[in-house]
Amino acid sequence: MVIPTYNEAANLAWIVGRLRAAQPTVDVLVVDDGSPDGTGAVADDLAASDAQVHALHRTTKEGLGAAYLAGFAWALEHGYDVIGEMDADGSHQPEQLHRLLGALLDADLVIGSRWVPGGSVVNWPWQREALSRGGNLYVRLLLGVTVRDATAGFRVFRRTTLEKLHLEDVRSTGYVFQTDLVARTLNAGLSVREVPIEFVERVRGESKMSGAVAVESLRRITAWGLRERWGRLRRRGAERRPLELTGSGAQGYSRR
């Protein structure tokens, strides 16, 4: 499981301990973006005391997506067949990871979803729930997908899925990264399953998500989504144009 961190010194040992207890066979990679609060040192201490915990240090804070891309690259390089992601603040409960792993038996990507039947959130104000539900509805309408929680960050991929997504071409580095990978997975003809989880608002530390961040994410999703839809329309148009012979006989042809 890849866990990105920035200023999570108060939570990291707690969440890694829960994850290792809930899934003793799962390895953990902490990707720290140069946290000034000492999170990186906590990650190093955990790695030193547990061979199944690893730490990857980045020098600058470049966004959630960039941290995950670095973590995915590390996991692929080290030969893992299942690669997951989760937050460090306790909002994703390691005790529910088995639901995602079980569903991966017949899927290429599994998402722990707040907005499918059985899913829920704890300690969220109604405004934040409305923003998340509305944002995901907007994503479904914009991209034409059926995934109900495309912005969720508790998920597991098959290795083969990530290899087919051309991660080297991914340019989304912020929160839009999650939606980007869902769309890429579906566009590659792969399957996405959602399983219900209980999402719990953090009780320690400061949330990285704010109204301004959410609005900026929706703005980026709009720009990216419109580009994707326009690109699809152009590709479909090119595929439908008939082939016409040019020159004499069948010596050459062109698409018109």
Side-chain angles (χ1 to χ4, degrees):
M1 291 296 289
V2 179
I3 303 179
T5 56
Y6 186 76
N7 286 349
E8 294 290 355
N11 289 312
L12 185 57
W14 168 65
I15 197 64
V16 170
R18 286 175 59 188
L19 177 55
R20 294 285 293 115
Q23 294 289 337
T25 63
V26 171
D27 289 358
V28 182
L29 174 66
V30 179
V31 183
D32 185 62
D33 274 3
S35 299
D37 73 340
T39 302
V42 175
D44 286 337
D45 289 342
L46 292 170
S49 62
D50 187 340
Q52 288 180 245
V53 178
H54 309 273
L56 179 62
H57 297 278
R58 290 156 45 81
T59 57
T60 57
K61 187 174 186 289
E62 298 176 347
L64 183 71
Y68 272 129
L69 287 173
F72 291 165
W74 184 97
L76 291 170
E77 180 182 345
H78 285 77
Y80 289 93
D81 292 323
V82 175
I83 301 166
E85 57 175 81
M86 64 181 292
D87 290 348
D89 60 8
S91 56
H92 301 143
Q93 301 181 68
E95 295 79 11
Q96 297 181 347
L97 177 57
H98 69 279
R99 302 181 185 179
L100 282 68
L101 294 173
L104 195 63
L105 293 174
D106 57 0
D108 299 298
L109 162 61
V110 177
I111 298 173
S113 176
R114 299 160 290 187
W115 311 130
V116 295
S120 62
V121 296
V122 176
N123 296 330
W124 264 19
W126 69 267
Q127 298 95 329
R128 186 169 177 186
E129 179 170 343
L131 183 62
S132 180
R133 286 182 179 274
N136 275 286
L137 174 60
Y138 181 67
V139 166
R140 293 198 298 277
L141 295 174
L142 179 66
L143 300 181
V145 301
T146 58
V147 175
R148 300 192 63 82
D149 200 354
T151 62
F154 194 17
R155 48 181 73 180
V156 290
F157 298 84
R158 291 180 180 272
R159 174 190 185 89
T160 51
T161 302
L162 291 177
E163 289 175 336
K164 292 176 182 177
L165 299 188
H166 302 292
L167 297 179
E168 68 278 2
D169 296 331
V170 175
R171 296 293 177 263
S172 52
T173 58
Y175 284 91
V176 68
F177 172 82
Q178 306 290 19
T179 303
D180 188 354
L181 261 59
V182 169
R184 286 174 179 267
T185 301
L186 293 171
N187 289 340
L190 303 175
S191 60
V192 177
R193 283 193 60 187
E194 296 183 272
V195 297
I197 62 162
E198 180 185 65
F199 181 98
V200 181
E201 176 64 359
R202 71 160 66 229
V203 295
R204 291 180 291 193
E206 295 183 2
S207 174
K208 312 302 187 298
M209 177 61 72
S210 65
V213 170
V215 170
E216 175 64 11
S217 296
L218 287 176
R219 186 185 71 80
R220 291 181 178 274
I221 286 172
T222 300
W224 169 75
L226 290 175
R227 285 197 304 270
E228 285 291 303
R229 289 191 74 120
W230 174 243
R232 279 188 231 160
L233 288 173
R234 292 186 65 181
R235 288 192 294 271
R236 288 174 186 170
E239 290 169 359
R240 290 172 182 171
R241 279 180 289 179
L243 292 175
E244 295 183 3
L245 295 178
T246 61
S248 60
Q251 293 177 348
Y253 64 87
S254 65
R255 190 180 295 273
R256 298 193 186 278

